[in-house]
Amino acid sequence: MTHGSKPAADLRWFRNEKEIKGAKEVNASGKTFTVTNSLQLLVDRDDDGAAYTCKVDHVALLQTPQQATEVLEVHYAPRVAITNSLTFPQEGQYLKLECVSKGNPSPDPVMWTKDGGELPDVERMIVEGRELTFTTLNKTDNGTYRCEASNHLGTSSAEYLLYVYDPNAMGQHGPDHALIGGVVAVVVFVTLCLIIVLGRYLARHKGTYLTNEAKGADDAPDADTAIINAEGNTHAEEKKEYFI
C-alpha cells in the first residue's frame, strides 16, 4: 500500500522474480492517491522458501525504486523414498540404503525396520542418520525394509524389497543379460520354424502346378489352360477305371 502519491503509484507483485497478478485498488483523496494491491495465496509445499516481492513504480522513484520482499516458510508433512547403492546385491558385498525424506519441519530422525520388526543384526546393519548400511550381505538379509519419517503434521514411509543374489549362480553377465539371451534364442527358433514350414508349403504347391501343367501342356495354349486340361484328363481316367 502507498499513501499520498501524485500521480498514483503502480504496485506490482513478483514470485521469485516472475510477475504475478494481484487485486489492485486506487482511492483518490484530494489531489493525492492511496493505492493498494493485495495478494491472496493458497500455499502448498512448493511455496516453501518462495520469495514474494511487492515493487513500487512512480516517477519520483526512478533513481531509488522501492520494494519489499517476504520469503515464505510453509510447514508440510514429509514424503519418503528409498535409494540403494546396488542394483543386484550379492553375498559378501557392501550395500547402502538411504531414506530420502523431505518435510518441514525436517523429519529427523528416521526409523528403519525389517519385515515389521527391529533390525535383527545391528553389528552388520548400521544406521547412521538416514542411511542403513550392510557391511557384508548374506542370504539371511533377504526381506522387506521399511523407512518411516514423521513430523507434527504427519507420517510417511517407503519400503525396499532386498533379495541377495548368489554370485556363483548369477554368472559373468548378471541376470538381466541371461534373460535377454533366452528371449532372443526363443525368437530365433520360432522364426526358423516358420521359414521351414513356409518353404515346404510353397515347394509343394509349386510341384503340383508344374505337374499339372506338364499333363495338359501338349494341347493347351498357356499354363492355366494346361492345368484345366490336366484336371479334366484325370477325371476321365478315374471314370474309365470304374467301368473296368
Side-chain angles (χ1 to χ4, degrees):
M1 176 185 291
T2 63
H3 296 279
S5 62
K6 182 183 177 181
D10 184 24
L11 302 182
R12 295 184 297 158
W13 281 103
F14 294 82
R15 182 185 187 276
N16 294 335
E17 299 184 359
K18 182 178 180 180
E19 187 169 359
I20 56 177
K21 188 176 181 180
K24 187 176 180 180
E25 184 178 348
V26 180
N27 294 311
S29 178
K31 296 182 179 181
T32 62
F33 299 87
T34 298
V35 181
T36 60
N37 193 340
S38 59
L39 188 65
Q40 293 186 347
L41 302 173
L42 181 62
V43 298
D44 59 19
R45 64 180 62 235
D46 294 330
D47 288 304
D48 186 34
Y52 286 84
T53 302
C54 178
K55 292 185 178 181
V56 182
D57 292 328
H58 193 268
V59 291
L61 299 174
L62 295 178
Q63 302 298 324
T64 56
Q66 299 293 312
Q67 66 180 45
T69 300
E70 184 72 24
V71 178
L72 298 188
E73 180 180 357
V74 180
H75 287 195
Y76 55 93
R79 287 180 179 174
V80 177
I82 297 177
T83 62
N84 56 290
S85 60
L86 295 173
T87 304
F88 298 105
Q90 303 177 32
E91 286 186 282
Q93 287 185 328
Y94 172 93
L95 174 66
K96 178 184 291 185
L97 302 180
E98 182 178 0
C99 183
V100 181
S101 59
K102 185 178 181 181
N104 192 16
S106 180
D108 290 320
V110 299
M111 179 182 296
W112 286 97
T113 58
K114 179 189 178 185
D115 297 329
E118 296 182 354
L119 299 177
D121 190 345
V122 293
E123 293 185 0
R124 289 188 308 104
M125 302 176 182
I126 303 172
V127 177
E128 293 182 346
R130 301 170 185 266
E131 297 178 350
L132 171 59
T133 302
F134 299 80
T135 56
T136 307
L137 287 171
N138 60 51
K139 286 288 187 179
T140 63
D141 296 328
N142 290 345
T144 301
Y145 292 82
R146 180 185 179 94
C147 168
E148 184 176 290
S150 60
N151 60 20
H152 70 280
L153 292 173
T155 300
S156 180
S157 63
E159 293 184 345
Y160 173 79
L161 179 61
L162 174 61
Y163 181 82
V164 180
Y165 290 90
D166 182 352
N168 297 322
M170 288 185 65
Q172 249 183 354
H173 302 291
D176 52 338
H177 292 276
L179 178 61
I180 293 172
V183 172
V184 172
V186 171
V187 172
V188 171
F189 176 76
V190 172
T191 303
L192 289 176
C193 290
L194 290 175
I195 292 174
I196 293 172
V197 171
L198 182 61
R200 294 185 63 182
Y201 174 82
L202 293 176
R204 180 180 297 177
H205 282 264
K206 182 178 180 181
T208 303
Y209 178 82
L210 291 177
T211 302
N212 290 337
E213 183 180 359
K215 287 182 180 180
D218 295 338
D219 301 323
D222 53 41
D224 293 332
T225 305
I227 293 175
I228 295 172
N229 291 343
E231 291 177 351
N233 292 336
T234 301
H235 293 312
E237 290 175 359
E238 290 175 354
K239 291 180 180 179
K240 184 177 180 180
E241 288 177 359
Y242 286 118
F243 283 108
I244 292 173

